[in-house]
Amino acid sequence: MTRDMLATRWAEIGSKVVALAEEFPEQRFDMRPVDGTRTFADQLRHVAFWNQYLRGTLRGQSPDGSPNALPREAYASKAKVVQAVRESFDQVRSDIESNMADGDQATVDTIVSYIGHNAEHYGQLAIYFRLNGM
């Protein structure tokens, strides 16, 4: 039951983030609200990176978190960024549905914290939308 609820919540926030990524104009993907902040694309590369990190953690790996984002060079276009974000959400959802044991409290806590992380970035991305008159 817990597994199903987490998979649903994960899919919900993933759908919201992916929808913003798809709708945001490609020519504005590198806009930043003010100096010193991430661009819209940087926000998405960051989200996809940490989703991939979570996936590795759920699989018992010890991923390196120091990059903090997917490399810009490998994910420079809107199409590549959107694909990476979509795949990162889909892969984690699939792992939750197929590999998570119900009642695994440590995993529940980890997934809930990542849902919160993604919700925070969704809020930031929504502000980028507003700043662009969308």
Side-chain angles (χ1 to χ4, degrees), residues 88-104:
S88 73
F89 277 105
D90 289 348
Q91 291 166 344
V92 171
R93 181 188 39 78
S94 178
D95 281 358
I96 292 169
E97 291 172 344
S98 62
N99 299 328
M100 185 185 152
D102 252 348
D104 179 355

Side-chain angles (χ1 to χ4, degrees), residues 6-134:
L6 284 174
T8 298
R9 296 297 174 258
W10 184 265
E12 288 171 350
I13 191 60
S15 293
K16 289 177 180 181
V17 172
V18 169
L20 289 179
E22 290 174 335
E23 191 173 333
F24 204 74
E26 184 167 11
Q27 67 272 20
R28 302 293 301 153
F29 243 56
D30 287 320
M31 77 76 65
R32 69 179 78 242
V34 295
D35 287 340
T37 62
R38 291 184 178 118
T39 67
F40 188 85
D42 289 340
Q43 292 279 2
L44 294 170
R45 284 188 285 267
H46 172 80
V47 166
F49 172 85
W50 285 104
N51 288 351
Q52 290 177 1
Y53 181 95
L54 171 60
R55 186 173 191 227
T57 300
L58 294 175
R59 292 175 164 222
Q61 302 166 357
S62 298
D64 178 10
S66 62
N68 200 35
L70 297 178
R72 179 181 180 87
E73 305 76 41
Y75 299 90
S77 71
K78 176 182 176 175
K80 286 188 178 189
V81 172
V82 171
Q83 179 182 0
V85 171
R86 181 183 300 108
E87 287 176 355
S88 73
F89 277 105
D90 289 348
Q91 291 166 344
V92 171
R93 181 188 39 78
S94 178
D95 281 358
I96 292 169
E97 291 172 344
S98 62
N99 299 328
M100 185 185 152
D102 252 348
D104 179 355
Q105 194 57 47
T107 300
V108 169
D109 290 346
T110 299
I111 294 168
V112 167
S113 72
Y114 278 82
I115 290 171
H117 175 257
N118 286 317
E120 291 167 3
H121 285 286
Y122 171 77
Q124 292 170 341
L125 293 168
I127 291 185
Y128 286 57
F129 255 65
R130 298 294 181 240
L131 291 171
N132 280 276
M134 301 173 70

